[in-house]
């Protein structure tokens, strides 16, 4: 994973803007990260994921999934012929399951 020298620091107050206490070392109250994500997409991209992706240079011809793999933050499923990508823990869980499309 690339070194990020500009890391945000959790303040213990929820970053969604609700101003509630999130706890020491936490950015969000449980579930408020997804609320924040949805609010940002609505506020800045008219609720459109394609608009968000295009604004950042991603789309059918430039894969955001491959970009995540290229950073080292995501990995590919080790199963030959499987195109699943995700965070390492997610891929480990996925890879342990049968792959019916691959003949399992």
């Amino acid at each position: 994973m690339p070194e990020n020298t500009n890391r945000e620091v959790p303040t213990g107050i929820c970053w969604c803007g609700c101003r509630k206490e999130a706890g020491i070392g936490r950015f969000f109250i449980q579930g408020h990260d997804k609320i924040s994500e949805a609010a940002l997409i609505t506020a800045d991209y008219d609720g459109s994921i394609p608009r968000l992706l295009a604004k950042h240079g991603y789309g059918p011809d430039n894969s955001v999934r491959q970009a995540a793999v290229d950073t080292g933050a995501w990995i590919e499923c080790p199963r030959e012929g499987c195109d699943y990508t995700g965070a390492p823990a997610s891929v480990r869980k996925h890879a342990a399951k049968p792959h019916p499309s691959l003949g399992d």
Side-chain angles (χ1 to χ4, degrees):
M1 190 178 307
E3 184 178 324
N4 184 350
T5 57
N6 297 320
R7 297 186 68 102
E8 307 305 332
V9 177
T11 62
I13 302 297
C14 187
W15 278 43
C16 83
C18 71
R19 301 184 197 270
K20 293 182 180 173
E21 188 174 323
I24 296 172
R26 295 184 62 196
F27 289 102
F28 298 100
I29 293 171
Q30 185 175 355
H32 288 212
D33 54 337
K34 293 298 179 186
I35 291 169
S36 298
E37 185 177 57
L40 174 67
I41 292 166
T42 299
D44 287 0
Y45 303 100
D46 298 323
S48 169
I49 299 296
R51 188 166 290 147
L52 167 97
L53 292 170
K55 175 74 174 174
H56 293 276
Y58 300 109
D61 298 323
N62 188 25
S63 171
V64 69
R65 292 171 57 189
Q66 187 60 50
V69 170
D70 291 346
T71 68
W74 276 22
I75 62 172
E76 298 171 338
C77 178
R79 293 288 306 270
E80 179 86 27
C82 182
D83 67 355
Y84 186 87
T85 59
S90 177
V91 172
R92 280 192 302 275
K93 190 176 202 180
H94 163 84
K97 295 179 183 176
H99 286 60
S101 65
L102 301 178
D104 289 358

